[in-house]
Amino acid sequence: SPGGREATLLGDGTDDSNRRADAYRDLGEVLRIAGRAAEASAAFEQARALFAEKGNVVGEAHVRSLEEDVALV
């Protein structure tokens, strides 16, 4: 989704890691639904890293469960 990627990349200029992580998580979900598992995994990995950086264990755990869903497909 080029538009989704553009929005996510625009968010990379902000210091709000949780907001950026949310954007990568959302992008990953869209890519997963579209059947683009490798791209979804990359977006989820980025989201998880950003959540971890902020110490957001709930966000990190949620993304980890989404990554497991992708691995099952």
Side-chain angles (χ1 to χ4, degrees):
S1 154
R5 277 201 193 88
E6 289 171 12
T8 303
L9 293 174
L10 285 173
D12 276 345
T14 180
D15 288 336
D16 189 348
S17 294
N18 280 314
R19 188 170 299 172
R20 289 172 42 217
D22 287 340
Y24 277 107
R25 183 202 55 220
D26 293 347
L27 175 61
E29 289 191 82
V30 169
L31 292 168
R32 178 182 58 83
I33 291 167
R36 297 162 66 176
E39 292 170 281
S41 292
F44 288 145
E45 183 177 327
Q46 186 70 22
R48 189 171 34 81
L50 288 165
F51 281 133
E53 177 183 301
K54 285 301 265 192
N56 184 337
V57 295
V58 173
E60 190 178 357
H62 181 227
V63 172
R64 189 171 288 119
S65 74
L66 293 170
E67 286 178 305
E68 290 170 3
D69 288 346
V70 170
L72 295 174
V73 174

